[in-house]
Every structure is written in C-alpha cells, then in structure tokens.
Amino acid sequence: MCGIVGYIGKKTHGYDVLVDGLKRLEYRGYDSAGICVMTDKKTKTFRSVGTVARLEEKVGTPIDGVRVGIAHTRWATHGKPRVKNAHPHSSGKIHLVHNGIIENYQQLKKELIAAGYTFTSETDSEVVAHLIARENKKHDFAEAMYRALGRVVGAYALVILHEDYPDTLIAARNSSPLIVGIGKDAYIVASDASAIVSHTDRVVYLDDGEVMMVHDGAYTITNLRGRKKTKKTHTIDVDTQKAERSGYAHFMLKEMHEQPHAIEDAMRGRIILADGMARLGGLNSVEKRLRTIKRIVIVSCGTSYHAGLVGEYMLEEYAGIPTEVEWASEFRYRKPLIDAHTAVIAISQSGETADTRAAVREVKQKGGLALGIVNAVGSTIARETDAGVYNHAGPEIGVASTKAFTSQLAILTLLTVYLGRQRNMSMTMGKRILSELRKTPQAMTHILAQHDAIKKIAKKYANATSMFYLGRKYNFPIALEGALKMKEISYIHTEGYASGEMKHGPIALIDKDFPSVILAPKDSVYDKTLSAIEEIKARSGKVIALTTHGTKQVEKIADDVIYIPKTLELLTPLLAVVPLQLLAYYTGVIKGYDVDKPRNLAKSVTVE
Ligand code: AGP
C-alpha cells in the first residue's frame, strides 16, 4: 500500500534522504506523492499526482537545510489520485503522512466539522491531523497525539511533525508496517527497510500499538498510553545493489532472470542428498510438533495463493498430509476449524499482506501451529508466526511477483520432502525429488534463453481482448498464475481455468479471436490435455501450447508451441511458469505499459 518515510537528524540533507526513500518505496503505490520539510522553523509542502519523479519536477531545486521532514507515495483508498488527496495532510502546524485505513473516519469527520474544522481532501487520513490539532489546543504535541490516536479505529502507520517542535518527530503503528532506522546523528522511519538500508543497518521494528518519538536526538518507544517500552535493535543485512535494476530495462525482467540464482539460494544448505532429506533450520523449534500434524491449511493471497495450490498437490501426493488452500481474505471471516494437529502455512513475499497477517492471528488465537514461508526478512508475518522458512530470493521490486513465486515453489518442494521423510517417503524418493530440484536452475536458464521466441508469440497475440489459460493437476495453479501475470501487466482480461472444466461452460466463449494458453507438459494427465487442445481447435480457437521438449504431437495441433525441459511432474510448475511470465512481460512492453508499476496495483497490500 502507501509508502511513508520520515527523517530527523543533525545533518541538513533530509530532503535527499526523503526523496531517495520515496523512490525505493514507490512500488508500494504511485497514485500521488508529497513531501513536507522544515527549514528555519518553517515548513514547505509539495504534492503532485503520479510518480515521485513528478514531485521532484514540482519541487525543482532540491531543498537544502532540512533537518526534519516527512514524505509519502500513495496507493489511493479514499479519494481519487488528485493533488488535494495527496499526502502530507495538515491541520494548522500539524503535518502527517499515513499508510492504512481509518475505519471510523466518517464519524470523526462529522464531529470535527461540527467543531469548526474544514476538510480539504476526501481522504480518511486528514481526520487524524485535525484530531491532533484539536487536542493540541489543550495539550502538548505528544499528549495531543496520544489522545487523538485513542479515538482512531483502523490500520495506520503515521509519521507526524509539528512546526513548534522542530526537534521532534513522532511515528505510530497499528497494523501497517513501520521500521525505525537508527543512524549516526539521524533517525529514518519508513514502511520498509528499502528506504533505510543505504543509511544504516541498525533498525527497530515497531509493533502494533507502539509509538516512537525522537526528541533532541534521542528516541523513546511507548505504547499508546505513553508507557515506555524497551525494544530490541536488529542489524539488517540487505545488499542495496540487489535493489538496483543493474542494466535491465525493468525490475520484472531482472527478477525473472534472477530466478535460477534465487532457486539456488532457496536450496542453499537445505539439501542433504545422501539421506534424501531436506534441512529447514527455521522449523527446528517445531520439528517434534510437525511429526504430529494431521492436516495442513495454506493461507495466502494472489500469486502466493497460486504457489499454495501447487503445494497442496505436492504435500498430499508426496507427504501424504491432507492439505487445503485458502484465500486469506476469506479464511479470516470463515469459522475455520483449527486444532492442535493442524499446521497453517502462511505464504507471503512481502510478509505484510493484511489478510494473511490476520489469518495467522486467527490461527494462533485457536491454538493452531502458524508457520510462514516469507521472503521479506524481519517482516511482520515472519515475526508473528511460530516458525518458518525464508525464501532468500532478495528484494522483489517489480509489482508482479516472479522470482518470489518460483522460490516459494522450491521451498514447498523442500517442505514436502522434509515432512514426507518424517512420514512414509522413502530415502530414494527423497533423493530423486531433491536431485531433480537441483537441476531446475539450469533448466530455467535454458527457458529464459528462449525470450526472443516468446516475444514473437507475445507480438502475435498482443491485441487479444480476452484469453484463457488452461492447465490440469500440478499445472492448473500455473494456468491461474499465468492468467494473473497477463492481467497485471497487459490489462488483457484473462481467465485461468482447469482444462477439464472447459466443456462445462467456458468453451462457449471460444472463437477465432479468443486465444488460449494451454499447459501440456508430458505428465500423468498429458493425454487429457491433448483432448482439451483438440476441443478448442474444433471451435477455431487459437492455441499457444506449452509442452516438454521432445513431444511432437502438440506442434501438430497447436498454433504456437513453447518447450520446457523434462523434469518430474511435481517440478513442472517451477519451469512452466517462466515462459508465461515472459509472455506477460513482453505483451506489456509491446503495449507500452509500465510493467514495473502496473496501474491500480501495489506490491504489498497492507490494508484489507
Ligand atoms: C502478484 O504479482 C501480486 N503482486 C499480488 O497478487 C501478490 O502476490 C499478493 O498481493 C500477495 O502478496 P504477498 O505474497 O506479499 O503476501
């Protein structure tokens, strides 16, 4: 969702720190951007619609002499992307930036209007500025902030400054992520570590209901009633180089090409081939409990949900554990039956997705075992689950998830072997799966080398208005994922479907202008999938088929064919998704869209 950043320090380069921070957070939302800085006890505020680059244009010459300031990049929830709805929002001498949703803002707004406050935006966030200003009439800045937040219901990460307190910066968190970077003579508060790492590696993670106040160069952490708390300082190890585009045209292209490496990093130190075992250190603390698990429920959203669906097939077929996969946004409002023999696995790249976080809380509430497969180190889900496995895929900046997805599939394969070997999986089978998994990075490199051929296919179908993506068994989730990638990047209306379901209705849509991408690797359901291709061809539908090297039949019936190297059935999803990522990428580029920041999307969905 939105990206927020705050700076307070002895050095006067605050403007540069804030703008650099905004650029690194821009994947969280890019509907508008804004900044408020204080120089010589006066504030200057700039806001603009669109990207941070547009804001810089509006500011013109970078502002010098900035020791304190706040900034924001927006993903609109309340009020269209307009300058009046851009943050920071102000009330008198109070200025703030907000990430989250104030659920009771309508009621508070009515009360404040009745008290004579004038609203200039349609946002929920502006309410907080006026609330603090009203309390500030009777109380000092800090007390006014506590009293105001005592009235607020909802999710927030806030950074607040007051013109009369140039040596003070306040940040508060309830549900939306917030990290404090502790530098030499400076503090940087931000939605995630990417805006902090180039300045310091010492951070404090704020938890829900916590307030951080910097005053006169020192910081304190309290709860929402002002009671002091001591918090651990963490040292984060993030390679800023990895957050650069490194010569690629887009982060998405770079991250697709990083997949072979990301799989190697996911496997590093986790394969004991001689015993056909997987070693997952992050599960050591629950190893015994995992032996007693009788059921697994995977909760996640979007692309991570599709990874969960592949995991379901793997865990049932190779670990023999009944597995269900739930959309976290539905799971949290259902009455899920969770007992002590249920392990719930939350899969999340960002580790901050609000619905997945809430699902984890629900599970812990019910005494279930909450595990995480998370990429973002130190993120909330990683800290709130009982145990888990990090992807180690490095920062994923492109909004459309690619390397995190294939890395999630690799981790789910390791987890399947880990749990399978605790149960009835033989050493031979363990060895077979792990040695084939080890070959996937090279196979991926081979597929990535076919980018020109895939680009040609993208050009051929770029004007399609609708497309089907079809797959069966392990590749049904990949059909869903391929369809999601094409939606996100090219805005073509696509539907992922189980190929066996086509004749129960969707095939009615097929005609010569409605192409279908069909996943037909040489696996246990290959013949069935061939019939699905035939059925579509019989209605003049165009078919882009994806199959295994060496299979000749498909090219006789499909219009275009993409080949992937041979591997075990449960590992075909890891390979089959790569051409679909490339197809979406090139279609988006051909159509001239911003493939790293697709319209209406954000990388980390931190509100419901
Ligand atoms: C995928 O390309 C999207 N960015 C989105 O569907 C994403 O997978 C979803 O929001 C879940 O995010 P998470 O893995 O960070 O929890």
Side-chain angles (χ1 to χ4, degrees), residues 301-304 347-353 356 381 399-401 408 481 484-485 488 602-605:
C301 304
T303 287
S304 296
I347 305 180
S348 177
Q349 187 291 123
S350 62
E352 299 294 351
T353 301
T356 309
I381 293 174
V399 168
S401 185
Q408 287 162 351
E481 178 56 13
L484 177 61
K485 287 282 112 35
E488 288 183 281
K603 182 68 183 170
S604 169
V605 183

Side-chain angles (χ1 to χ4, degrees), residues 392-403:
H392 300 309
E396 188 175 67
I397 311 286
V399 168
S401 185
T402 53
K403 66 174 180 176

Side-chain angles (χ1 to χ4, degrees), residues 60-357:
T61 320
I63 305 166
D64 245 341
V66 175
R67 284 202 174 80
V68 61
I70 55 178
H72 185 274
T73 180
R74 184 175 188 231
W75 190 86
T77 57
H78 298 72
K80 288 206 163 105
R82 298 245 165 81
V83 169
K84 70 175 182 180
N85 294 327
H87 297 221
H89 289 291
S90 308
S91 182
K93 296 182 174 181
I94 310 271
H95 308 273
L96 60 77
V97 289
H98 169 230
N99 171 28
I101 291 181
I102 309 296
E103 287 163 21
N104 63 339
Y105 88 102
Q106 296 282 30
Q107 169 221 334
L108 293 171
K109 188 170 180 174
K110 226 159 125 214
E111 197 185 300
L112 288 159
I113 291 171
Y117 286 86
T118 311
F119 280 73
T120 56
S121 80
E122 299 151 318
T123 68
D124 53 326
S125 315
E126 188 184 352
V127 159
V128 184
H130 294 309
L131 270 179
I132 299 173
R134 185 175 63 174
E135 295 296 340
N136 191 216
K137 289 201 174 114
K138 290 176 261 144
H139 308 283
D140 68 17
F141 181 20
E143 186 53 30
M145 181 275 305
Y146 285 123
R147 285 170 179 267
L149 291 186
R151 301 288 319 281
V152 169
V153 177
Y156 57 78
L158 290 159
V159 189
I160 315 158
L161 67 77
H162 190 309
E163 288 176 26
D164 295 343
Y165 298 76
D167 303 318
T168 303
L169 189 71
I170 297 181
R173 169 191 175 152
N174 186 42
S175 184
S176 302
L178 210 50
I179 301 179
V180 183
I182 301 166
K184 196 166 158 310
D185 305 325
Y187 297 89
I188 301 161
V189 189
S191 299
D192 71 45
S194 62
I196 292 173
V197 282
S198 43
H199 307 286
T200 176
D201 61 0
R202 290 182 59 230
V203 299
V204 170
Y205 295 103
L206 288 187
D207 283 313
D208 292 356
E210 290 180 350
V211 174
M212 188 281 300
M213 197 167 337
V214 176
H215 180 63
D216 278 348
Y219 80 96
T220 52
I221 309 264
T222 71
N223 63 14
L224 281 171
R225 285 177 300 287
R227 190 165 306 129
K228 280 215 170 112
K229 297 181 78 168
T230 42
K231 294 278 293 184
K232 196 162 161 265
T233 308
H234 298 258
T235 303
I236 47 172
D237 162 26
V238 175
D239 170 347
T240 49
Q241 255 325 1
K242 282 199 173 160
E244 306 302 331
R245 252 188 309 128
S246 323
Y248 283 90
H250 299 99
F251 278 107
M252 184 181 178
L253 185 63
K254 174 190 174 228
E255 287 152 9
M256 286 189 286
H257 282 270
E258 282 178 341
Q259 294 186 99
H261 201 64
I263 303 296
E264 272 151 12
D265 287 346
M267 297 189 291
R268 202 177 308 286
R270 293 171 167 170
I271 291 183
I272 313 166
L273 198 55
D275 305 334
M277 298 278 281
R279 176 175 41 213
L280 298 170
L283 300 180
N284 285 353
S285 60
V286 294
E287 196 263 342
K288 284 205 177 49
R289 180 139 180 219
L290 282 169
R291 288 181 184 280
T292 67
I293 291 300
K294 303 229 174 336
R295 175 169 162 256
I296 288 177
V297 178
I298 298 175
V299 288
S300 46
C301 304
T303 287
S304 296
Y305 170 81
H306 298 150
L309 288 174
V310 175
E312 178 181 30
Y313 286 91
M314 289 177 173
L315 289 161
E316 292 194 338
E317 183 163 359
Y318 289 93
I321 305 173
T323 302
E324 299 140 46
V325 187
E326 305 285 348
W327 268 319
S329 52
E330 282 304 312
F331 178 84
R332 63 182 296 185
Y333 291 112
R334 266 196 25 227
K335 200 170 170 302
L337 306 172
I338 302 288
D339 63 17
H341 293 292
T342 301
V344 172
I345 304 173
I347 305 180
S348 177
Q349 187 291 123
S350 62
E352 299 294 351
T353 301
D355 290 314
T356 309
R357 278 193 54 212

